[in-house]
Each structure stands twice: as structure tokens, then as C-alpha cells.
Amino acid sequence: MAETEPTTNGGSAGGGIGAILAAGDRDFLVRNSGEQISSIEASPVALYFSASWCPPCRRFTPKLIELYKELASQGKSFEVVFVSGDQDEEAFNSYFGKMPWLAVPFSDSEGREGLDGRFKVSGIPHLVILDAKTGEVYTEDGVEFVSEYGVEAYPFTPERINELKEQEKAEKDNQTIQSVLGTSTRNYLISNKGDKVPISELEGKYVGLCFVVGGYGPVDEFTAVLAKIYEKLKEAGEKFEVVAVSLDSDESSFNESFAKMPWLAIPQGDKMCEKLVRYFELRSLPTLVLIGTDGKTLNTNVADIIEEHGFEAWEGFPFSSEKLEILAEKAKAKAASQTLESLLISGDLDFVIGKDGTKVPVSELVGKTVLLYFSAKWCGPCRAFLPTLVMEYNKIKAKHSDFEIVFISSDRDQSSFDEFFSEMPWLALPLEDDRKAFLKKTFRIRGIPSLVAIGPTGQTVSRDAKAHLRIHGADAFPFTEERLEELQKELDEKAKGWPEKLKHSLHEEHELVLLRRGTYGCDGCEEMGSTWSYRCDECDFDLHPKCALAEEKKGEEEDGKAAEEAPAGYVCEGDVCRKA
């Protein structure tokens, strides 16, 4: 953003940005035009550690470009220096070609590695913001601050960030429906017909803020149920309104999803949408924030209540403790009346299928322990878990004829379904089957693979049979609380013969101590563990007793290939790609 002729500015002799960026014989940075820049007058300066192969980086870079250009338009001093983690110059040039700022030359691998080491960069994207003159680091959480506050965070000093947080606290303390939904330039919402509705019309009403993303299955399913509840509450005369808060990046996607919604919305692309994500600390989708008639927040997410109770959740509005007790009693009564038939039979659909497509009547499964296996071929963790499940299934079947698994697929086409199902020795619901949506909703399936255990009476005995299988194997059958308690007692007896402390080659730094634990992940075989662990609290390191005692290890799971491979030594997860 700031461009100068070569000078001795920047504190190169006093530990400023010049001294930080200088490396060997190189005393310049480059622009994507090839121009060499010998100094930076702007302050603050951000060092942007990023790479084209990293999906979180590709998502963050447009936000940083937008902020960079907006600060330039306001005449504010700010510069960015790209420190590439790309593996070849072609990838660097392609990625850097979209950036309006400076970069450490790709050819200077020593300089780039030196900056990585200096700022202890363990994951990307990583944005270090500092004072160009003194070299003082303002923050190493630049990605978070740019994402959350945008240009409002400028100049990114700790004082400015604290000021913004204090402002947010004050806003929450004095919250009104206008402060939540309006801005200094917009005091209206829109309908899907394009009408502008004054925010003042929502005063004195209960307002649900529904965070939406067009085309995202769980949100689409949720808004379909919410629309029925919305209409029912309107018929009942309740003072209730819903406002969509769009997280869509493009207007066409928003318009397509908003057309199906009978309520209002904040205009797509409005900065308030991003602010509300931060303001209500959005963690998952779907989310429905409930604002009371006084403009104060009643509940930061009632989506769970609606997902659990479906359309009947309208009877619990506005979800006070008394109303929730009524819903809970109804749900308890409904669960008590559950049978395998009520789960797997719907009209003429009273069968599951075998390998050759033969129809197996649901009646043949009644009286058995049945696992509902939610999975898909496209899912890496599902493919990795399947061999384990097949092995444990065969062990259980060898001892218990009253056991079966029913595959409930999330595959997108018949060929994928057929190929994946061919590896399974059990039964399935057909790919295109109306019962699948009901079962996913009933058991609130949000991730796969997932295993729900139904007992011989048709009652649910476990919603997380996968964890029990991974921890106890076939011994977990029939997945009841009583059986799990027995297994725990058996483990406790075994533990009496184990050493209290030991050293292990996987963690030579400290001695491992035998501790009673809840559920944990083993750092040796990467499988789940429970009850007992050999642990180092200082390093947050756990080993199964069987791993620590050199018993047979399970093979590592394969997470499936990402659309684009991270280079060796990196693992991409969520919003960051970390060094392994």
C-alpha cells in the first residue's frame, strides 16, 4: 500500500521492520510486477504466512485483500508482506499474482524459513502485525482480528483490540433490537419480495436470528421445519418474527435459499452479518438466536430444541424452562413408546435390503440388537472405520445371532452406494429411501460415521455405539449401560496389575503416569480410549495401556485424500494447516 524509493527508513539499524526482513545479501522485497522495493514507510506492517495449497489460506486471503484496499482508500498507513509456504515458484507466482502487497522473494528460501522460525509459525494462515519502526509485535492473532473486526481493528494494537471488546460488552449490556439488526446507514430489513421493512416493526416481538448458508443440507432441513413452526405461531397469534442472517458469499446463492423463507432478512453482503457471527460467538450451524420482547438475548441457540422436537417444538415457544419441561415430558413418553417398527416401517416401506437387492422384512429384525450405521463412501473417516466395523461385526455375529447392522447411506449416487455396500456383510436401506431423513432427524445425526444401537425391545440403548466399539471392540455388545459398567470393572481389575509409572519410546521427555480418565484420544494408535490412560499432563499426551505396555497396536486411520494435498509435514484441519 505504501511505496517508496530506496531509503534507510524502517529502523533497519534499530531492530525495526528492515532488520527483521533483511536476509543475507538481499535488502529488498518484491511486488507481483517484479519491481523491487528496498524499504517500507508504512506502519503497522503485517507479515502474512500463507500458501496456495492451503484451503484456509485461500479462504482468508480475499478478506485480507478487502481490508488492505479499504484502508488504502481511507488513506491509512498499512503494508503487508507475503511470506510464502509454497513448494514451487509457479505456485508462488500464481498465488502472489492476486495480492496487491509485497513479498519476500520466493528464491530466498533461507529468508522465508528464518521468518518462520523467528515467529514460531506452526500453522497457516498466520498474520503477525508489528510496528515497522520499532519491530514491536502488536499481535500474532492477526487472522482472528481481521476476520472478526475488519478495518475497525486498525491499527491492530492491543489497546485498539481491548477498546473494541469493551465496546462490544457495552453494546450487549445496552442491547436493543435496533442495535442488533440495524446500522448507521440502514434501519430496515428485506422480504424475499424485495420490500423494505422498518426494524421498528419488530420492537415488542420475539425475534429469531437464523444463520443461513444456501445449499447446506443441515441448514436447509432446519429452515424447512422452522418455516412450519413460524406459520403455526403466526396462526396462534404469537408475536414472533424470524430474520435470516446470510453467510453466503454470493448473492445468487442467498436469493435462491431466501426465496423459500417466509420471513425477513438482513441484506446479503451487509457487514452486520459478519458482526453478528462474532457478537453471538457462532460455533455451529444451524443456529437460531432468540431475542426477547425487550430486545435482550433470551437464548443464543434454540436450534437444538427444534431439531430434537421437530414441528412439535412450537408448543414450547418461547422456550421458557416451564415450556421446555412440557416438551421434555412429551419426548420422554415418545421415546418410551419407540419400537424398531416405528423407526424402520413407514407405509409400504416395511423392509431393508440385502446384498442381492432382496427385501428383508423389518419383522425379521424385531427382538434383535440392531445398529443403525450412518456412513458414506465419499467420507474418508467412514472408509477408514469400515474395516474395523466389519471385523467387530463378524466377531459379534459368531457369538450372537440376535445382532444385525443396517447401513443408512449418505452417498450421492447409486454406483457409490453399491460399491461401498459391497464391502459390508450386513443389510441396508435403499439409497433413495424416505426413511433416511426421518432417522437422521430422530437421532440428530450431524457427522458420519455414526452408530446408533437399538436394543431388542426397540428402545435406543446408545447413540454413540461407534465409540464403544472403538474402545471395547466386540466386547461392547449389546452396548447397554450395564454391559459398559461390567467392562469398566474388568478394566479396573486389570489396572491393579499394571505399573503406576513407565517410560515409553513415543514420549521420551517425561515418565507416563497411569491415571483414571474419561474418553481420550491415544497419541500412539490414534484410536479412542476410556477409563485408564498412561498420561503426561505436562505435554497433554495419552497412551492406551495396551499401547504403553507394548500390546498389539491398531492400524492408523486414513482420513481420505483432500481435494488438494498438503505438502509433506502439514495437516489441514478446520481453519488452519498445521505443521505435523
Side-chain angles (χ1 to χ4, degrees):
M1 190 161 86
E3 187 172 326
T4 67
E5 294 299 318
T7 70
T8 58
N9 177 57
S12 58
I17 193 65
I20 291 171
L21 293 174
D25 296 330
R26 178 185 56 77
D27 60 356
F28 62 87
L29 301 170
V30 295
R31 291 198 177 278
N32 56 26
S33 62
E35 179 186 5
Q36 296 183 359
I37 302 297
S38 299
S39 66
I40 301 174
E41 284 190 348
S43 188
V45 170
L47 304 183
Y48 182 37
F49 298 86
S50 182
S52 63
W53 52 259
C54 166
C57 294
R58 295 197 303 272
R59 291 194 294 269
F60 177 71
T61 297
K63 295 180 182 179
L64 186 58
I65 291 174
E66 182 183 1
L67 173 132
Y68 182 88
K69 290 181 176 178
E70 192 166 346
L71 288 176
S73 69
Q74 296 174 10
K76 292 181 177 176
S77 179
F78 181 62
E79 191 52 86
V80 177
V81 177
F82 172 40
V83 185
S84 175
D86 279 305
Q87 305 300 297
D88 60 76
E89 192 159 12
E90 182 179 354
F92 167 82
N93 289 335
S94 175
Y95 193 38
F96 183 41
K98 303 170 186 175
M99 300 176 182
W101 45 68
L102 307 175
V104 174
F106 182 79
S107 58
D108 186 10
S109 58
E110 185 178 343
R112 292 185 287 118
E113 289 171 6
L115 290 169
D116 268 10
R118 176 173 187 146
F119 292 101
K120 299 178 181 178
V121 179
S122 60
I124 54 176
H126 188 66
L127 193 69
V128 179
I129 303 179
L130 42 79
D131 184 315
K133 294 182 179 178
T134 66
E136 175 193 355
V137 174
Y138 289 155
T139 182
E140 295 195 12
D141 297 322
V143 171
E144 176 186 344
F145 294 147
V146 169
S147 298
E148 291 192 355
Y149 299 106
V151 294
E152 291 183 12
Y154 182 84
F156 309 101
T157 60
E159 293 78 14
R160 178 55 182 161
I161 301 304
N162 288 335
E163 183 181 345
L164 289 170
K165 290 181 177 179
E166 286 298 320
Q167 288 177 7
E168 284 193 346
K169 183 179 183 301
E171 285 179 13
K172 288 184 178 181
D173 291 342
N174 301 287
Q175 178 179 300
T176 65
I177 197 64
Q178 182 66 47
S179 70
V180 169
L181 297 176
T183 68
S184 58
T185 58
R186 177 185 52 76
N187 63 357
Y188 63 86
L189 303 166
I190 58 172
S191 72
N192 57 18
K193 295 182 177 60
D195 300 324
K196 293 182 178 180
V197 178
I199 294 174
S200 59
E201 291 190 10
L202 275 62
E203 292 177 359
K205 294 183 179 181
Y206 291 98
V207 178
L209 305 183
C210 185
F211 291 83
V212 299
V213 177
Y216 179 52
V219 170
D220 291 344
E221 292 168 12
F222 174 76
T223 53
V225 176
L226 181 59
K228 295 177 182 178
I229 293 173
Y230 175 82
E231 298 293 357
K232 182 65 177 179
L233 291 174
K234 289 284 190 178
E235 287 177 18
E238 295 284 0
K239 295 181 177 179
F240 179 56
E241 189 53 71
V242 174
V243 177
V245 182
S246 173
L247 306 183
D248 284 304
S249 57
D250 65 276
E251 193 168 3
S252 61
S253 178
F254 166 73
N255 289 339
E256 184 177 348
S257 60
F258 186 39
K260 305 170 187 174
M261 301 176 191
W263 45 70
L264 306 174
I266 295 173
Q268 193 275 334
D270 193 295
K271 292 290 186 184
M272 181 57 74
C273 294
E274 289 185 12
K275 180 178 179 182
L276 292 176
V277 168
R278 179 179 72 253
Y279 187 82
F280 289 110
E281 299 178 359
L282 185 70
R283 293 289 179 266
S284 63
L285 292 174
T287 287
L288 182 69
V289 177
L290 186 64
I291 308 295
T293 55
D294 60 355
K296 307 297 183 185
T297 303
L298 287 179
N299 195 313
T300 55
N301 193 8
V302 295
D304 286 347
I305 298 170
I306 292 173
E307 286 193 310
E308 180 177 354
H309 299 282
F311 173 68
E312 293 178 1
W314 79 269
E315 298 179 34
F317 181 82
F319 311 112
S320 61
S321 57
E322 295 82 3
K323 289 292 187 80
L324 290 179
E325 284 180 17
I326 295 172
L327 285 179
E329 286 299 319
K330 287 192 173 185
K332 187 176 180 181
K334 186 176 180 181
S337 65
Q338 176 182 293
T339 63
L340 192 65
E341 295 96 325
S342 70
L343 291 173
L344 293 181
I345 295 178
S346 177
D348 294 334
L349 299 173
D350 60 355
F351 60 88
V352 293
I353 59 172
K355 277 293 176 306
D356 53 2
T358 55
K359 295 182 179 180
V360 179
V362 171
S363 58
E364 291 189 11
L365 300 177
V366 173
K368 296 183 178 182
T369 295
V370 177
L371 296 186
L372 303 179
Y373 176 43
F374 298 86
S375 186
K377 181 179 179 294
W378 53 259
C379 164
C382 295
R383 295 194 304 274
F385 177 61
L386 182 58
T388 298
L389 183 57
V390 170
M391 178 176 65
E392 303 303 340
Y393 170 84
N394 289 330
K395 288 180 184 178
I396 296 173
K397 287 289 280 187
K399 295 181 179 180
H400 306 279
S401 59
D402 57 342
F403 172 65
E404 196 49 82
I405 295 179
V406 177
F407 171 41
I408 301 166
S409 175
S410 293
D411 280 306
R412 301 177 179 117
D413 57 74
Q414 191 67 43
S415 62
S416 295
F417 170 85
D418 291 340
E419 184 179 345
F420 203 37
F421 186 38
S422 69
E423 302 175 38
M424 305 174 189
W426 46 74
L427 306 172
L429 288 183
L431 178 63
E432 301 294 338
D433 194 297
D434 293 340
R435 291 171 290 179
K436 287 165 49 177
F438 166 73
L439 291 169
K440 288 179 182 177
K441 174 184 164 187
T442 298
F443 296 109
R444 300 171 69 188
I445 303 300
R446 292 201 175 167
I448 55 175
S450 184
L451 280 172
V452 176
I454 307 300
T457 65
Q459 298 287 295
T460 304
V461 294
S462 174
R463 293 196 178 202
D464 193 10
K466 176 169 71 84
H468 305 324
L469 265 179
R470 294 178 74 170
I471 293 168
H472 302 293
D475 290 338
F477 180 85
F479 310 99
T480 59
E481 290 185 12
E482 293 79 11
R483 178 55 182 156
L484 296 175
E485 287 174 4
E486 287 177 10
L487 291 170
Q488 182 162 314
K489 289 178 182 177
E490 291 174 10
L491 274 175
D492 290 345
E493 282 301 312
K494 285 185 179 180
K496 292 178 182 178
W498 295 336
E500 293 184 5
K501 297 181 180 180
L502 55 76
K503 294 284 288 183
H504 198 280
S505 59
L506 292 177
H507 191 72
E508 296 179 342
E509 298 92 330
H510 306 102
E511 215 170 19
L512 301 177
V513 180
L514 180 64
L515 294 174
R516 178 178 280 280
R517 297 271 281 141
T519 301
Y520 63 89
C522 175
D523 291 294
C525 65
E526 297 186 8
E527 293 285 353
M528 296 296 293
S530 178
T531 307
W532 291 102
S533 163
Y534 277 97
R535 176 168 175 80
C536 173
D537 277 333
E538 185 175 344
C539 301
D540 191 23
F541 182 91
D542 286 282
L543 283 182
H544 284 145
K546 64 183 178 182
C547 293
L549 299 172
E551 293 183 12
E552 183 179 353
K553 295 183 181 181
K554 292 183 180 179
E556 293 185 0
E557 285 195 3
E558 182 178 278
D559 286 334
K561 292 184 178 180
E564 293 186 47
E565 293 279 358
Y570 277 87
V571 177
C572 292
E573 51 186 28
D575 292 327
V576 67
C577 290
R578 299 190 183 282
K579 289 181 179 176

